[in-house]
Amino acid sequence: MYDITIIGGGIVGLATALRIKEQKPALKLLLLEKENEVAKHQTGHNSGVIHSGLYYKPGSLKATNCIRGYQMLIDFCNREGVHYDLCGKIVVATSEEQKPLLRSLFERGIQHGLVKNRMISQAEIREIEPHVKGLEGIWVPYTGIIDYKAVSEKYAECLQKLDGEIRFGEKVIDIKNRNTHSEVVSASGKIFETKLIVNCAGLYSDKVAQLTQPDDIKVRIIPFRGEYYKIKPEKHYLVKNLIYPVPDPNFPFLGVHFTRMIEGGVEAGPNAVFAFRREGYDKLDFNFPELMESLAWPGFRKVALKYWKTGMGEYYRSFSKAAFTKALQGLIPEIQSDDLIPGGAGVRAQACDYDGGLLDDFSIIENKNAINVCNAPSPAATSSLSIGQTVSERVLARI
């Protein structure tokens, strides 16, 4: 029998497993991953940004874990030789209406201890990013770029050195709760007995959570696909590092931006469109039962009614390269449609409650048999070791 079984081999599951084993090496720990490698889904499809914690509400789990996790990530990468680049970014106000929002964002950063941030003028924007159009901005030197799949692989390597067990190709299909333990059943027919379950299943975290408790949980994962373009090599000069807009406070996604990648190249995007399956990375990916589950959730119907106009605009950009280009030109007027080639896409596991709230903060739901990480959107990768520490403290209090 295992002391702990972690479901999910993304960056949060691996970081949690690692923090548990570092603090209590004698525990018998198993990590189950349905794919044949780590970081196959959200972790492996994100834009590779090390976030500073600028955007998040003071006192929220997002803010506290991002700020703590940022330094933990940097320390880990320095210790283990994982390459990263703290290149910095600018957040740009492109209209007079955005200036008060930008200044509020700057004040929030100061509250978070980001004292090296500074407000920059139009001329200073041009010094940092010569091709950006903006009235004023924030220079954020803390922000960086990294390959989170490489980080995840290093987490896995460190975990296995501590005798943590990882099994690939083990999709969890059932959990049977007994008096003293649980039985985790995989699609291969194997049964793993465990004292405690930690659910870090990402896009399927709500499904796994439902298996761990008889009463229905009050959130559902709604998948949103973010699609990117890449900038042609001959136009890489347009972007030196990272360029972000002022986020819309009425919409839970950041908006299109420019990101230099750690392995080379520049990404532009993403949009944010409702996906017709949880692992729907392509426009045509479709899973009828998963789509019906999303549409049947009362909370999602309320979200769709509230954001239908914004959502239609996102879909239009998804199918219109010209519309996508126009959105990017808000930051870099010189960018042209011919400068863009199709890039990758990621799917965000967005938790939605029964009343139509899109959970902005991390959400951890506990019951007798399990600790369920039910919402871990960006900046979960930056925050991974801190989230892992938070969850490991809850685990060790129960083992």
Side-chain angles (χ1 to χ4, degrees):
M1 181 184 294
Y2 293 94
D3 293 304
I4 302 139
T5 296
I6 294 177
I7 300 170
I11 197 165
V12 172
L14 289 161
T16 300
L18 180 58
R19 296 302 292 135
I20 291 169
K21 285 293 284 183
E22 284 175 341
Q23 292 168 94
K24 206 162 184 180
L27 288 176
K28 191 175 182 184
L29 182 146
L30 170 67
L31 187 145
L32 298 175
E33 167 53 47
K34 69 184 177 71
E35 305 293 355
N36 60 1
E37 59 182 324
V38 300
K40 186 80 171 181
H41 293 290
Q42 287 190 103
T43 306
H45 287 85
N46 75 23
S47 58
V49 175
I50 302 174
H51 290 284
S52 65
L54 175 68
Y55 298 107
Y56 316 120
K57 183 179 178 181
S60 66
L61 288 174
K62 266 190 178 183
T64 55
N65 280 285
C66 185
I67 292 161
R68 182 174 72 162
Y70 174 94
Q71 194 57 54
M72 294 170 78
L73 176 66
I74 297 300
D75 291 345
F76 177 87
C77 291
N78 288 338
R79 186 168 65 249
E80 299 295 336
V82 179
H83 178 55
Y84 66 92
D85 180 4
L86 297 181
C87 56
K89 77 172 179 183
I90 58 170
V91 183
V92 182
T94 57
S95 68
E96 290 293 334
E97 293 77 20
Q98 290 180 347
K99 282 184 175 182
L101 295 172
L102 184 78
R103 289 163 188 162
S104 294
L105 201 60
F106 177 76
E107 292 301 324
R108 178 171 285 187
I110 298 301
Q111 290 178 52
H112 291 327
L114 305 178
V115 295
K116 294 180 183 177
N117 289 357
R118 61 184 175 91
M119 294 292 297
I120 53 176
S121 66
Q122 191 172 41
E124 289 172 310
I125 289 171
R126 288 285 181 152
E127 287 177 14
I128 297 168
E129 292 285 354
H131 302 276
V132 168
K133 180 193 79 172
L135 300 180
E136 62 181 20
I138 305 172
W139 167 242
V140 187
Y142 303 90
T143 304
I145 52 177
I146 197 168
D147 179 353
Y148 281 117
K149 186 172 180 62
V151 174
S152 299
E153 288 168 348
K154 185 59 71 170
Y155 285 175
E157 180 186 318
C158 293
L159 175 62
Q160 288 170 319
K161 286 179 180 176
L162 293 170
D163 294 324
E165 184 178 349
I166 301 176
R167 294 204 186 195
F168 294 106
E170 297 289 359
K171 180 182 178 179
V172 173
I173 59 170
D174 196 13
I175 294 172
K176 301 181 188 300
N177 298 317
R178 307 303 185 193
N179 286 332
T180 59
H181 66 280
S182 296
E183 295 175 356
V184 181
V185 184
S186 76
S188 66
K190 296 186 181 72
I191 298 175
F192 305 95
E193 293 186 342
T194 187
K195 295 175 184 175
L196 183 64
I197 293 165
V198 178
N199 165 20
C200 297
L203 284 157
Y204 290 92
S205 58
D206 59 335
K207 293 282 197 183
V208 173
Q210 286 175 291
L211 296 176
T212 71
Q213 64 184 59
D215 298 327
D216 185 29
I217 63 165
K218 302 303 180 185
V219 296
R220 290 289 183 276
I221 294 298
I222 305 298
F224 285 90
R225 183 174 60 255
E227 301 160 334
Y228 289 87
Y229 280 95
K230 291 183 178 180
I231 297 180
K232 289 181 177 178
E234 57 267 30
K235 291 299 179 80
H236 283 176
Y237 69 87
L238 291 173
V239 179
K240 293 177 72 176
N241 289 303
L242 283 76
I243 305 161
Y244 277 65
V246 177
D248 181 348
N250 299 312
F251 195 58
F253 304 102
L254 272 177
V256 294
H257 47 272
F258 296 88
T259 308
R260 180 168 65 85
M261 309 301 289
I262 195 73
E263 71 275 10
V266 178
E267 277 189 342
N271 56 2
V273 297
F274 171 59
F276 299 143
R277 62 174 293 184
R278 297 197 184 209
E279 294 170 359
Y281 300 108
D282 187 88
K283 289 181 177 68
L284 302 179
D285 283 347
F286 183 86
N287 181 300
F288 185 75
E290 291 184 354
L291 174 60
M292 289 298 101
E293 285 173 351
S294 292
L295 295 178
W297 183 241
F300 174 68
R301 294 200 298 271
K302 292 176 182 177
V303 168
L305 187 63
K306 181 178 180 181
Y307 293 114
W308 71 269
K309 188 176 289 187
T310 303
M312 291 302 293
E314 294 291 315
Y315 268 112
Y316 180 58
R317 285 215 301 259
S318 177
F319 288 94
S320 169
K321 189 178 183 183
F324 205 109
T325 304
K326 185 177 179 181
L328 294 172
Q329 286 172 338
L331 288 169
I332 299 182
E334 292 173 61
I335 199 88
Q336 299 297 317
S337 181
D338 289 346
D339 300 332
L340 306 174
I341 54 178
V347 179
R348 169 175 171 155
Q350 176 62 58
C352 175
D353 67 24
Y354 189 88
D355 296 319
L358 295 176
L359 273 64
D360 183 58
D361 208 358
F362 299 144
S363 175
I364 301 172
I365 300 172
E366 292 192 57
N367 58 52
K368 178 175 177 287
N369 308 293
I371 298 172
N372 296 286
V373 181
C374 284
N375 196 49
S378 180
T382 302
S383 311
S384 56
L385 287 170
S386 182
I387 298 170
Q389 179 65 30
T390 298
V391 176
S392 70
E393 286 167 0
R394 299 190 187 198
V395 168
L396 297 177
R398 295 171 58 164
I399 290 291

